[in-house]
Amino acid sequence: MSRVTVVLLLVASLLSSSLALALPTSGAAAAEERTWVVDAVDEPTSNRWDSVDTGTSVVTIAVGDTVEWQFDRATQGHDLTSLAPTDPWESVWDEPLAEYREPGGEPVRRTFTRPGTYRYTCSLHGTVMTGTVVVVDPGGNSAPTAAPVVTPTEVGVGEAVHATADATDPDGDVVAVSWDFGAGGPAAHTDHAMHAWAAPGTYVVRLRVSDGRGGLHEDDFAITVTGEAEPGEPEPPVDDGALPAIDARVAPATGVAPLSVRFSTQVTTTGSVVPFAEAQEQDADLDGTAVLVRRRDETYTSLLVTGARPGAAHPVHVHEKPCAVERGGSHFRFDTTQGFAEPNEIWPAFTADAAGSSGLVEVTKPMRAGPLAVSVVVHDPTNPALRIGCADLAPGTADLAYSWSFGDGSTGTGADPDHTYAAPGTYTATVTVSRGSGAHAGHGSVADSVQVVVGGTATPPATQPPATVADTTPPRISRIGPRRAVRTARPTVRARVLDSASGIRRKAVVLRLDGRRVPGLSYDARRGLVRWRPARALAPGRHVVRLVVRDAAGNRAARTWRFRVRR
């Protein structure tokens, strides 16, 4: 080998070594990529996504990095759902997210290969649980920065919060500022903005600063609003003006003057469960009835479903928006200043039997639900991030007005007033319910009455028998159903009958379908529940139900309603 050849080989070897030192190997490049952890966090007053690195729901990562969502700090199930872009600087996910995890469940991992701004949410708790992943190319554009100040973070209804972004861009790009105050209204697009809320609750104020070239800065601020809602607060739609079924209630119904009593207007809304949103072929026969009853210091919810997946556990929740609006929106909460959790919500979940039936599911909560409890959503048993069934609860209760006449010359308002009867006597208290605002205000009303017997304070002579008060009040019939179109040819006909004074015997309950008395009627006297299911399929079309009840004193009550069996 010549000396020239040896020299060339040495030079080539040195160049090869230099290049190997200058260029990272694939293993070195992989080592530079990192994983960012985001936790689902449940606390008594809040629910949120929390980045271990940033302490917020926003993480800024490099192309090739991975985000890992963990559920070790969760106390309830959460879904992880990707969001479609709502602003020009947001990005479409390469592969949409639709995952669900129970507390302590396996993490969800996603590696990001393209720069962009990707938003996600827990749709069950979407009013407070949204997050953002900002993916940047290290050699490209620099994201804008901000030093935001939002104050105060605790205000009363109608009091303003001041928000200042103080946004800049290291590349000198013109920045666009967006303040979202979490109340459903339009965003503000100025560096300094003000906002006042019309209703109490916990709100998330979100700042977004964009440089128009893919760079984004985002910050979240939690605001607590206290006090009473202002008049004119937006409420759910009120259907066609129909009014719900009502029942007047009182406790105690008898006593000695002066007698203080607690009245209540029981309001019943119902809905039919139908396949919905992400329903699969196996959910095509999903059918059923949901009932929600509001009364003083209590909300009763029942659900009866057929056509469900046999043997599967179906998560079910009451939601705050109609089925057609944001797939039912988030879970309904009794107290919006508290976090999402089972004690603050209504969960009529069930496990279907071998025939796909839920059986009667009943949930009672020690609080009266507000008007935002408007739908019942059934979730996919294998992935509760998906929603397969929904029932709109109707008629709506958002703008109901309650007017009471207590029978002694006094009047009152509100669903659940208190009253004191000063003198002995038998009084008939009547509540009248109508639409208090909107297009249907003043058009129609429903009323119901309840009797209060007030005795005197004097003790009758021993030789006189105690005075008796004749029972002249008929039984009350409520919670009737079905009342609309049903998909099954063997629907369960149901009602509730109550008579606190004299009681009702089984033989005094008569149910007729299309004029014929039905056999095999079920009557639970303790709970006042009447149920009957036809042994054979009913013909398609309209059917008429009539229920007649007599109490032990001979007082009679009757109720007629109709439903239709779909073809």
Side-chain angles (χ1 to χ4, degrees), residues 19-71:
L19 288 171
L21 291 172
L23 297 175
T25 65
S26 60
E32 294 177 359
E33 298 170 356
R34 61 168 292 185
T35 296
W36 302 73
V37 175
V38 177
D39 286 315
V41 180
D42 294 318
E43 294 179 340
T45 58
S46 67
N47 314 82
R48 68 183 188 277
W49 298 110
D50 186 45
S51 166
V52 172
D53 299 279
T54 67
T56 70
S57 62
V58 181
V59 290
T60 301
I61 68 175
V63 171
D65 285 357
T66 297
V67 177
E68 180 176 289
W69 289 271
Q70 297 183 357
F71 301 88

Side-chain angles (χ1 to χ4, degrees), residues 4-31:
V4 173
T5 302
V6 171
V7 171
L8 290 174
L9 289 173
L10 288 172
V11 171
S13 176
L14 290 171
L15 287 173
S16 176
S17 300
S18 299
L19 288 171
L21 291 172
L23 297 175
T25 65
S26 60

Side-chain angles (χ1 to χ4, degrees), residues 304-317:
L304 184 61
V305 174
T306 59
R309 300 183 195 178
H314 293 66
V316 185
H317 311 93

Side-chain angles (χ1 to χ4, degrees), residues 536-557:
R536 297 180 180 179
L538 300 179
R542 192 181 74 167
H543 295 273
V544 180
V545 181
R546 182 168 177 80
L547 177 63
V548 179
V549 182
R550 292 183 185 274
D551 63 18
N555 300 304
R556 177 180 178 275

Side-chain angles (χ1 to χ4, degrees), residues 249-256 259-263 421 451-454:
R249 299 163 63 94
V250 64
T254 61
V256 175
L259 179 64
S260 296
V261 299
R262 301 178 302 279
F263 287 103
Y421 290 95
Q451 194 173 82
V452 181
V453 179
V454 183

Side-chain angles (χ1 to χ4, degrees), residues 230-258:
E230 293 181 346
E233 178 188 4
E235 297 285 6
V238 188
D239 306 321
D240 57 358
L243 290 163
I246 67 165
D247 290 284
R249 299 163 63 94
V250 64
T254 61
V256 175

Side-chain angles (χ1 to χ4, degrees), residues 185-377:
H189 297 285
T190 56
D191 193 81
H192 175 264
M194 298 170 58
H195 187 79
W197 287 265
T202 300
Y203 299 87
V204 176
V205 175
R206 175 163 293 122
L207 168 66
R208 292 175 181 169
V209 182
S210 170
D211 61 7
R213 297 199 296 135
L216 181 71
H217 177 94
E218 192 170 50
D219 277 301
D220 289 348
F221 302 86
I223 305 295
T224 301
V225 181
T226 59
E228 297 293 329
E230 293 181 346
E233 178 188 4
E235 297 285 6
V238 188
D239 306 321
D240 57 358
L243 290 163
I246 67 165
D247 290 284
R249 299 163 63 94
V250 64
T254 61
V256 175
L259 179 64
S260 296
V261 299
R262 301 178 302 279
F263 287 103
S264 178
T265 310
Q266 178 174 288
V267 177
T268 301
T269 56
T270 62
S272 297
V273 179
V274 296
F276 169 72
E278 295 92 2
Q280 307 297 310
E281 183 177 351
Q282 58 189 319
D283 306 312
D285 293 330
L286 197 65
D287 188 21
T289 301
V291 178
L292 191 141
V293 181
R294 298 166 169 89
R295 48 185 172 244
R296 188 181 188 120
D297 298 329
E298 188 174 272
T299 300
Y300 166 86
T301 305
S302 69
L303 182 67
L304 184 61
V305 174
T306 59
R309 300 183 195 178
H314 293 66
V316 185
H317 311 93
V318 173
H319 282 239
E320 65 177 11
K321 292 189 177 181
C323 300
V325 179
E326 298 178 15
R327 300 162 57 247
S330 302
H331 291 186
F332 165 77
R333 288 178 290 171
F334 287 95
D335 184 352
T336 57
T337 65
Q338 300 299 307
F340 289 92
E342 189 278 333
N344 197 26
E345 303 176 29
I346 304 174
W347 295 7
F350 66 88
T351 297
D353 62 19
S357 173
S358 67
L360 182 64
V361 181
E362 298 177 293
V363 176
T364 301
K365 290 286 188 171
M367 296 165 278
R368 185 179 186 120
L372 289 178
V374 299
S375 64
V376 176
V377 174

